Amino acid sequence: MNLKGRRIYKGKVVGEVLLTTHDISFYGGCDPDTGEIVEKGHELEGKSVAGKILVFPTGKGSTVGSYVLYALSKAGKAPLAIINKETDPVVAVGSIISEIPTVDRIDIGKLENGQKVEVDADKGVVSIVE
Amino acid sequence: MGLELTQDEKNMLEGKQGKAARKAMEIITTLGEIYGAERLIPIASVQIAGVSYHNLGEAGLEYLDEMAEDGKVRVLTTLNPAGMDLEEWKKHGISEDFAVNQQRVVDAFAKMGVITTCTCTPYLIGNLPHYGEHISWAESSAVCFANSVIGARTNREGGPSALAAALTGRTAEYGFHLEKNRIAEVKYEVKAELQNTDDFGLLGQVIGERTRKKIPYIVGIKRATSEELKSFCASVATYGGVALFHMEGITPDKTSIPDETEIVTDDDLNNARQKLDDENAEIDFISIGCPHASIKEIAHVAELLQNKKVTEGKTVWITTAKPTKDLAIKMGYYDKIEEAGAFLVSDACCAVAPLKGRFKGLMTDSAKACFYARGKNAFKTEIRTIEQCIREATT
């Protein structure tokens, strides 16, 4: 199955879905050294975004969040790709400066945790591999 | 309709003007696409936030160093406050480690041609746009002042997007750059009596919390000083995310007047004051200058402190921009303030300096300062007039 969306930042990767229905604030909500979600009560609290195809509705919180994505990428703990319902400017800028393939306008309800998917951000397409 | 670029803009995006310009243009065009802009527009000036090493951290600094390799700003660009006075940091109790890292941040900006002003009031010290001019500013209080009081046009930029605008001289035309998005949405009739900067901060808190992001049209303010307006801007942006307001008889933008009307009374202001006054606050820190104090405010504080001494165990920071501090030195205000045992601190402020754990309670005339003192530093707070703050410091 293919889901069609919009390119935010280019790149093509295959990886495992880590999905949440909660919005993510990277500043204060995600440990910049480990990639662990630390926001109290967040659906992904205690889980690491490192190396995952991170799927969430949209970003929230401070614009410093863009630099947290950059810190994650420098530490090798960034998500492999980001899929949003609607990408907010904080995540968009973070993806660009950290070069994380990112697409939005995807019906994220069609994705499940643990699925293997291919993100072709250039074309804005997410394909479920298995 | 997609985003159309000029040849010069395409060249930047293709990397023909260097790596930093390319990265910056990627940011500008992507934001333009997300918000459905049809073109980019030239901007007159930039104000960059994300300067304190305390907020930026090592990763942020690394990004700035990378951009500084070949990046140069194309328009007048000024900086938000840093975490310390760039010259007198030692006597304010800032650690050597922090100072070294903070200086690295400022150096990276300087290398790109940014004017290293380090103030949240760029409009007081030479970055002054005119009515209708397109600019790209971060720092929520300055954005609100520029859009509303001056009538310039800017979105609420973040640190990296403001830097991207500086390196390209462009921003995407969306949001507050377009006339149609600057129309008032809710009318606020102010029936309260406002006296000082602290009252205007409380008014900002009341309206900000009620209106969230809806553009207010405020009536009933007979007069307001620039200092009172900067206090209001800081507060309404902090408590509501307001980037633009209209104030009848005071702000210059034209707008239709909304039907939906809210009333603001003295009771509302008193409730707001109660919310910022913590019970049993043990005041050991007094700070004035959020947003950065004007020369008029510094002159007033110097007069209040004349022949007085700051009580032992209390610390007083009057925070301002470096050019204003230089003027205060020339006028003798600096000596009066420092001889009383208070500090005239430039480049920094009580919200972005590494102060956690150093104090228990803050007294200030700024509603915005209360918000950050609580949230970031876990201080208790009390909001008072400048006169009351100085009295608290010296008795």
Side-chain angles (χ1 to χ4, degrees), chain B residues 75-86:
Chain B
V75 294
L76 172 68
T77 303
T78 49
L79 277 191
N80 237 25
M84 63 180 198
D85 186 312
L86 296 177

Side-chain angles (χ1 to χ4, degrees), chain B residues 242-258:
Chain B
V242 172
L244 166 67
F245 66 86
H246 303 275
M247 200 178 266
E248 201 168 74
I250 290 173
T251 60
D253 247 0
K254 286 191 192 72
T255 175
S256 54
I257 301 170

Side-chain angles (χ1 to χ4, degrees), chain B residues 20-253:
Chain B
R22 175 193 200 140
K23 181 67 68 188
M25 193 45 99
E26 281 178 356
I27 293 174
I28 299 293
T29 52
T30 302
L31 290 174
E33 280 160 13
I34 292 176
Y35 289 107
E38 289 173 14
R39 58 178 189 149
L40 305 188
I41 47 174
I43 45 163
S45 80
V46 169
Q47 165 77 2
I48 294 178
V51 179
S52 171
Y53 181 77
H54 192 52
N55 293 344
L56 209 50
E58 202 51 36
L61 176 54
E62 209 173 310
Y63 177 69
L64 294 178
D65 278 337
E66 201 183 307
M67 297 301 268
E69 276 172 26
D70 69 348
K72 286 278 178 276
V73 302
R74 291 175 164 234
V75 294
L76 172 68
T77 303
T78 49
L79 277 191
N80 237 25
M84 63 180 198
D85 186 312
L86 296 177
E87 286 171 7
E88 295 197 285
W89 53 270
K90 213 169 242 170
K91 76 174 190 190
H92 305 137
I94 303 292
S95 76
E96 187 92 37
D97 273 358
F98 183 85
V100 168
N101 287 324
Q102 183 62 71
Q103 193 57 51
R104 287 166 63 211
V105 173
V106 172
D107 290 347
F109 281 121
K111 197 176 164 200
M112 289 185 263
V114 175
I115 315 242
T116 52
T117 44
C118 302
T119 180
C120 50
T121 58
Y123 47 87
L124 291 181
I125 54 126
N127 186 354
L128 179 62
H130 62 69
Y131 178 83
E133 205 164 32
H134 293 282
I135 56 174
S136 206
W137 282 20
E139 170 47 35
S140 62
S141 75
V143 164
C144 190
F145 194 96
N147 267 330
S148 315
V149 180
I150 299 170
R153 279 136 177 63
T154 179
N155 286 315
R156 248 172 99 123
E157 302 292 345
S161 67
L163 177 60
L167 295 171
T168 58
R170 305 285 202 287
T171 194
E173 190 182 37
Y174 67 91
F176 293 116
H177 291 287
L178 298 168
E179 209 74 45
K180 64 174 172 141
N181 299 324
R182 299 176 63 90
I183 305 299
E185 292 163 285
V186 187
K187 183 170 159 185
Y188 288 86
E189 202 175 323
V190 180
K191 295 193 162 165
E193 283 296 320
L194 302 168
Q195 306 279 356
N196 292 297
T197 45
D198 59 328
D199 286 340
F200 276 84
L202 294 170
L203 179 68
Q205 185 187 344
V206 170
I207 293 180
E209 283 178 350
R210 281 201 209 161
T211 205
R212 308 311 306 171
K213 286 197 164 57
K214 282 190 178 172
I215 301 171
Y217 183 86
I218 302 160
V219 299
I221 307 289
K222 286 171 208 80
R223 56 174 294 280
T225 64
S226 296
E227 286 76 10
E228 287 162 345
L229 289 171
K230 85 176 156 62
S231 175
F232 177 77
C233 287
S235 181
V236 82
T238 297
Y239 290 94
V242 172
L244 166 67
F245 66 86
H246 303 275
M247 200 178 266
E248 201 168 74
I250 290 173
T251 60
D253 247 0

Side-chain angles (χ1 to χ4, degrees), chain A residues 22 28-29 37-43 45 60:
Chain A
H22 290 177
I37 298 291
V38 292
E39 184 184 331
K40 290 267 169 277
H42 197 281
E43 222 168 49
E45 189 181 349
K60 59 176 182 179

Side-chain angles (χ1 to χ4, degrees), chain A residues 23-126:
Chain A
D23 297 342
I24 295 179
S25 168
F26 282 94
Y27 183 65
C30 179
D31 186 315
D33 299 321
T34 65
E36 196 181 303
I37 298 291
V38 292
E39 184 184 331
K40 290 267 169 277
H42 197 281
E43 222 168 49
L44 297 182
E45 189 181 349
K47 293 210 168 80
S48 172
V49 302
K52 302 288 187 192
I53 308 283
L54 184 61
V55 185
F56 58 104
T58 190
K60 59 176 182 179
S62 163
T63 55
V64 181
S66 307
Y67 287 128
V68 174
L69 277 166
Y70 188 80
L72 289 171
S73 106
K74 287 288 163 181
K77 302 290 181 186
L80 202 55
I82 291 174
I83 300 173
N84 291 144
K85 206 167 145 218
E86 201 69 52
T87 300
D88 75 300
V90 177
V91 170
V93 171
S95 296
I96 299 163
I97 66 179
S98 326
E99 307 189 340
I100 301 167
T102 300
V103 292
D104 80 342
R105 298 203 177 151
I106 295 285
D107 182 359
I108 62 171
K110 298 242 163 69
L111 296 169
E112 285 169 30
N113 261 314
Q115 260 175 346
K116 194 171 165 191
V117 299
E118 183 191 78
V119 177
D120 185 346
D122 297 61
K123 296 197 178 102
V125 172
V126 176

